[in-house]
Amino acid sequence: MFPGRSPHDSREETVMYDHRKLGRELDLFDTDPLIGSGLPYWLPDGAAVRLALEEYIRDVERKAGYRHVYSPVLGKRELYEISGHWAHYHEDMFPPMDLGAEQVVLRPSLCPHHALMFRSRGHSYRELPLRMAEIGGMYRAELSGVLGGLTRVRAIQLNDAHIFCTPDQAVDEARSALDLIAAAYDALGIQPVRYRLSLPGAGGKYVADPELWERASALLVEVLKEAGVPYEAEEGEAAFYGPKIDVQIVDHAGRESTLSTVQIDFYQPARFDLEYTGQDGAHHRPVMVHRSIIGSIERAVAHLIEVHGGAFPAWLAPRQLIVLPISEDEIPAAEALASRCLELGLRADISAQGSLSARIRTAHLTPYQAIIGAREAAAGTVSLRLRDSRTLPPLPAGEALGRIAALVRAHRLDLWDPETGSILSFN
Ligand SMILES: [Zn+2]
């Protein structure tokens, strides 16, 4: 399974789409000059994809022992002076806002907030590893010339988490994060181009503490070796406070960027004076593992659009099923089927205007097309047509929807699995 490769991928390997063009054509997102460049908004179909993605992430995080938190997108300037962002990352931050005697800034990362939340309560070694997750906003003062679509934005929603743990637990935690990344890529039908061990380079961007860099780099190498993934070490790509494992993807134009990251950090815990009480009753310094399964929601959705060309995996599709009544007589049956879809948590619409073939063409990105003629309406059945043009013999409506809902719940890439019938419950 690692690195993820699914049968679904073969089709897209040679063709990728420009997500900016497709995003507008499919009414997923857009921008307005009055809101500003690099500040896209999400239209209902794009928001449906994003919500499904966020629900998936929160669900896998819950199952992996993470607890979710919320924290504000603003913080005082002093917070970023302590974290080191002010000294090392200032150019990428928005200018501070003056509020009387204090200055607040839009946060450039979630780490300092999470470190303070950990520090706000006493912790015993028994609570570690403590896994804190949030899909939260962060901001980057990109110049308008480099902004475009969802990949270079000024307001970012990051799938972030920080694991506070003992030094002995750090490798296992980072390794588990790589497993979550691999499983997510399988469910999303995407593949990394390579794993990169990002090390510091020349220049003053990085905190000066050679021992810290060596310790963290050695642990990350151990993680990569244990995971058995080939990787390339590259200087000049680290975070200012430590090395990281970056999972790299390419866009439609062949440009490489980082989607997911895993970091082992000794620097922030020291800056924030984090501690826990050990088995010996003394205070000890925890390690912070920073990790993001799918990186920013914006970049992840941009990549999904480019890889799938709008034909998203069924569990992500803005419209999972379209009901196509053959004539007006079947509209009541179509409405009843659409209602059952909603009850099962499926996103469904009815298309009743125009010829059947034209409606099928219009719905070519919708994973499931449910055709209801006079025979189906009378028998309570439905004829399913899949997005890949496969057609199925009429099935009882409850069975058809039950199978689709099960595939969606399992985050499967295949649109139909005749073998699953026996394990589903039908109504
Ligand atoms: Zn972090």
Side-chain angles (χ1 to χ4, degrees), residues 111 160 162 290:
C111 328
D160 206 4
H162 296 95
H290 309 240

Side-chain angles (χ1 to χ4, degrees), residues 203-216:
K205 187 182 148 198
Y206 307 99
V207 300
D209 187 339
E211 199 241 321
L212 167 160
W213 289 95
E214 276 167 33
R215 243 179 116 193

Side-chain angles (χ1 to χ4, degrees), residues 138-151:
M138 56 181 247
Y139 299 84
R140 189 170 292 164
E142 299 263 20
L143 296 174
S144 56
V146 300
L147 299 171
L150 294 176
T151 45

